[in-house]
Amino acid sequence: MSLLNLQLKDFRNIRHGRLVPGAGINLLVGPNGSGKTSILEAIHYLGFGRSFRTHLSGRVIQQGEQAFTLFARLRQEPDGLPVGLSKTRGGDTRLKIGGRAAERLADLAHILPIQLIHPEGYNLLTGGPKLRRAYLDWGLFYSQPAFFPVWGAFRRLLKQRNALLRQGRPYRELEYWDRLLVQSGGQLSLFRQQYADAIEPVIAAMAADFLPEYDFSFDFFRGWDRQQELFQVLEQGFERDLGLGYTQAGPHKAEIRIKARGMPVQDLLSRGQLKLLVCAMRLAQGLYLKQQSAQDCIFLIDDFASELDEEKRGLLATRLDQLGAQVFISAIDIAQLGHMITRDNSKLFHVKQGEITETQECE
Ligand SMILES: Nc1ncnc2c1ncn2[C@@H]1O[C@H](COP(=O)(O)OP(=O)(O)OP(=O)(O)O)[C@@H](O)[C@H]1O
């Protein structure tokens, strides 16, 4: 998927912004605080229904205004698919897809897969398992339509079980729910295991490009003891779960453990190397989605390319080019990004005090 155009209204410092991006690399260049990241954030909002900088939607609404509105036309035959999202300070969300009101942000997320590469992105490796679970789950969400209902059912059942635990209910009252939880948890875990098996070689190949000095190993942990069935784990762990008021083991504890030279990567690699590995993981997810379901991800790259050395920047540009993805890159200085402009469908936008101007076609 790619954007044919994008309009922003009262989003951060952008009162009225419009851009018609190219199908390839789009460079957003401007001084600090001009609004470059806000444009990436707006595209991210359309794809995920939330910002990557704050979980408070009020923060992205322009100060003094009551709501932000985003419109985009997505590339789809015959003449594009219009989508719109607006959110008020009160939290009311309005979503339109193809001119019709839509209820679920997930419906837009399905048709607008996005990969974000940004300076704090190395959290994917240094942060908690939740982030790596989310990596797997988003990959599945985009590539397997049957995954989302299973994921939703598991979350509801787990919430229900934890509520019963907090109320101190006896095991017999949980048994029925545990059966359902085991059923959806088993399906969820199978989805993740299959996805992890499939994506790992793609990540490994991509990582070999960016970090050829390491061999990475990936170990998917499903969230409970390998020797035991989930039902047994829930039954045997009941007393402890009751004491804690939550379920200790299960698919909600799943994780991918990544190692190199026998050590967890977060303990071995430098900050820059962690960023490169995350970059490889995002590219791998985009490539896998393209191979599996002929869908293109939009890549949002915030202030990142400027942190790479020339060789790695060139490599990133080549891989993005091979993917044929639409890319939005923010940078302060165009001089650092010469290597990123590789396709004749690249465009350059200048951003200044919330104003967006297309300055020239990049050859
Ligand atoms: N809700 C808001 N209303 C109005 N302005 C805001 C709001 N939130 C942030 N801003 C302002 O928007 C401006 C743009 O921020 P943004 O992060 O997009 O800049 P940037 O061009 O990416 O900068 P940098 O290169 O420093 O990362 C900042 O000056 C910020 O103070």
Side-chain angles (χ1 to χ4, degrees):
M1 185 51 78
S2 60
L3 303 184
L4 293 173
N5 65 37
L6 173 71
Q7 288 180 58
L8 306 86
K9 186 172 178 309
D10 297 328
F11 194 91
R12 297 267 191 199
N13 68 333
I14 303 173
R15 181 164 290 284
H16 287 286
R18 183 179 152 81
L19 72 160
V20 180
I25 289 183
N26 295 280
L27 299 180
L28 308 169
V29 177
N32 289 127
S34 54
K36 307 178 297 289
T37 306
S38 303
I39 298 168
L40 303 185
E41 195 179 23
I43 300 169
H44 189 277
Y45 225 110
L46 284 171
F48 291 93
R50 60 180 165 79
S51 161
F52 57 87
R53 296 200 279 189
T54 173
H55 61 278
L56 301 171
S57 56
R59 293 277 158 83
V60 305
I61 299 171
Q62 180 152 117
Q63 284 177 324
E65 297 299 333
Q66 291 307 311
F68 75 76
T69 307
L70 303 171
F71 290 111
R73 188 169 282 275
L74 312 185
R75 187 176 296 277
Q76 194 180 79
E77 296 303 325
D79 52 1
L81 177 73
V83 298
L85 173 68
S86 145
K87 202 151 185 158
T88 66
R89 286 204 183 274
D92 290 337
T93 304
R94 280 176 162 216
L95 178 64
K96 275 192 169 183
I97 302 176
R100 305 239 295 263
E103 280 192 7
R104 300 184 326 158
L105 286 165
D107 294 335
L108 184 51
H110 260 300
I111 50 178
L112 195 58
I114 286 177
Q115 299 293 336
L116 171 71
I117 298 175
H118 69 132
E120 282 83 45
Y122 65 91
N123 282 346
L124 177 61
L125 299 167
T126 57
K130 187 179 172 185
L131 298 167
R132 288 174 296 283
R133 268 198 305 282
Y135 173 80
L136 291 177
D137 289 351
W138 275 105
L140 279 159
F141 175 80
Y142 292 141
S143 59
Q144 298 274 354
F147 169 75
F148 188 51
V150 170
W151 178 85
F154 176 78
R155 269 168 60 105
R156 278 191 301 278
L157 289 161
L158 181 66
K159 212 170 149 192
Q160 163 86 1
R161 184 180 202 267
N162 288 341
L164 293 172
L165 288 169
R166 281 194 300 278
Q167 290 163 20
R169 300 296 178 89
Y171 184 67
R172 65 188 147 74
E173 283 193 36
L174 268 74
E175 220 177 332
Y176 169 75
W177 296 108
D178 276 7
R179 285 218 178 85
L180 299 179
L181 190 77
V182 165
Q183 206 178 26
S184 65
Q187 289 172 328
L188 174 61
S189 196
L190 189 64
F191 268 123
R192 284 180 178 154
Q193 178 72 64
Q194 286 170 347
Y195 186 74
D197 289 347
I199 195 83
E200 280 166 16
V202 190
I203 302 174
M206 206 59 94
D209 271 353
F210 283 91
L211 294 158
E213 60 275 43
Y214 297 99
D215 262 336
F216 295 99
S217 69
F218 304 87
D219 179 23
F220 172 70
F221 169 63
R222 61 184 180 165
W224 71 96
D225 190 334
R226 284 181 209 280
Q227 312 302 324
Q228 286 192 298
E229 296 298 326
L230 182 55
F231 195 75
Q232 281 178 295
V233 170
L234 294 177
E235 194 178 28
Q236 289 168 12
F238 172 71
E239 289 300 333
R240 227 157 56 111
D241 288 355
L242 195 66
L244 293 166
Y246 64 86
T247 308
Q248 303 158 73
H252 55 295
K253 299 281 174 173
E255 155 79 307
I256 304 189
R257 294 167 181 153
I258 308 176
K259 288 186 175 174
R261 298 181 187 163
M263 272 170 78
V265 286
Q266 63 272 30
D267 297 334
L268 177 71
L269 300 185
S270 72
R271 179 80 48 102
Q273 289 174 321
L274 288 169
K275 288 180 183 184
L276 288 170
L277 181 55
V278 170
C279 190
M281 290 172 74
R282 300 282 178 214
L283 287 166
Q285 211 160 42
L287 177 61
Y288 181 71
L289 186 66
K290 194 170 173 103
Q291 288 169 343
Q292 288 307 299
S293 45
Q295 282 193 79
D296 284 316
C297 288
I298 294 177
F299 280 79
L300 306 178
I301 304 183
D302 186 24
D303 217 9
F304 179 80
S306 53
E307 290 181 33
L308 304 184
D309 61 44
E310 209 172 294
E311 185 201 330
K312 299 290 193 263
R313 274 206 300 268
L315 190 57
L316 176 59
T318 308
R319 292 291 164 262
L320 289 167
D321 199 28
Q322 285 167 343
L323 273 175
Q326 189 178 42
V327 186
F328 294 84
I329 303 178
S330 72
I332 290 171
D333 186 0
I334 178 88
Q336 294 170 314
L337 295 176
H339 291 79
M340 306 299 300
I341 304 165
T342 53
R343 280 183 272 166
D344 51 12
N345 49 11
S346 298
K347 281 192 177 188
L348 173 63
F349 297 89
H350 201 261
V351 188
K352 195 174 174 191
Q353 294 180 342
E355 302 278 335
I356 309 163
T357 325
E358 188 180 331
T359 34
Q360 67 182 74
E361 293 283 326
C362 303
E363 293 301 325

